Amino acid sequence: MKKSLSISMLLFLLSLFLFLNINNKQANAGAWSNHYLKKFPKSIRGTWYTYTNFGYGKKKIYKLKANAKKLHFHPYVKHNIGAGALPKATKKEKRYFNKTIYWTYCDVFKFQGRKWFNFMGWQQDAGDGDNYNISKLKGHRVLTLAGGAGNWVSAHYYKSRQLAKKMGEKHYQGFIYMKD
């Protein structure tokens, strides 16, 4: 009886070890670069335009202004997520939360051979933030906005209204788009 119990325990521990080791390798394979920016990226700065309906209503021009102030960029430093929104937060936690609620920070990563900037909220404890890529596509500088588990493109932005209208909701090779 003792022998079968110890064999069962050994098999259980072995399977637990294998399970944890496989999950750890999967997590590391998809790990981000953890290369946080100290300055807001110059390549993203400026006014950008897209022509879309974003899945509802009539197509129209949408404008995106990108700069450190609009995205409330803050150079990343290791920090704890503030508990200021919680009912039992201390006064110090609430002050910290209120001070940093609109701050964002940025991580850089590569996905399918492209460099992406991932902006996340300073107090964000879930979700993947917004991913931005700058590419030269069809001879034009294009700001691509993507997100989600598959880094799905939600829009391509251009430097002029006219170009945005001309290009519309064009799909480019090498990006992943959500199926309609």
Side-chain angles (χ1 to χ4, degrees):
M1 179 74 168
K2 279 188 174 185
K3 188 174 183 178
S4 67
L5 184 60
S6 23
I7 290 173
S8 297
M9 183 60 101
L10 182 61
L11 287 173
F12 171 75
L13 290 173
L14 181 60
S15 63
L16 181 64
F17 172 76
L18 288 173
F19 173 77
L20 292 175
N21 196 30
I22 289 169
N23 281 345
N24 190 32
K25 283 183 181 174
Q26 287 173 344
N28 288 337
W32 296 44
S33 68
N34 289 325
H35 175 79
Y36 298 104
L37 297 184
K38 302 268 187 243
K39 293 181 179 179
F40 189 81
K42 285 183 181 179
S43 60
I44 294 177
R45 294 178 192 169
T47 304
W48 298 85
Y49 304 91
T50 190
Y51 183 67
T52 184
N53 67 0
F54 278 120
Y56 49 82
K58 184 179 171 186
K59 282 188 179 181
K60 68 179 195 175
I61 296 284
Y62 289 88
K63 180 167 62 170
L64 178 129
K65 279 193 171 187
N67 61 44
K69 194 170 183 175
K70 290 285 182 191
L71 290 176
H72 302 280
F73 177 78
H74 193 280
Y76 180 79
V77 291
K78 188 172 181 173
H79 66 284
N80 294 321
I81 301 298
L86 302 175
K88 294 187 178 190
T90 66
K91 284 183 181 182
K92 184 179 178 182
E93 288 172 327
K94 286 181 183 178
R95 273 195 311 271
Y96 178 72
F97 183 84
N98 289 334
K99 176 183 174 186
T100 62
I101 192 168
Y102 297 112
W103 287 7
T104 60
Y105 62 96
C106 185
D107 184 19
V108 179
F109 69 100
K110 279 208 170 208
F111 182 73
Q112 295 188 325
R114 295 184 189 277
K115 181 179 176 180
W116 291 86
F117 301 98
N118 172 249
F119 286 91
M120 295 187 63
W122 199 263
Q123 299 294 341
Q124 186 172 337
D125 62 352
D128 63 347
D130 292 322
N131 301 327
Y132 294 85
N133 167 266
I134 299 289
S135 297
K136 191 158 191 162
L137 304 170
K138 303 288 184 191
H140 306 287
R141 276 187 56 215
V142 179
L143 173 69
T144 301
L145 176 59
N151 200 35
W152 298 293
V153 172
S154 56
H156 294 292
Y157 288 81
Y158 304 88
K159 291 304 285 179
S160 74
R161 292 174 182 269
Q162 295 80 11
L163 187 56
K165 195 158 189 175
K166 177 183 173 188
M167 301 309 268
E169 295 180 283
K170 182 163 182 53
H171 288 199
Y172 296 101
Q173 188 174 355
F175 291 97
I176 301 171
Y177 299 88
M178 187 73 90
K179 296 195 178 7
D180 296 338

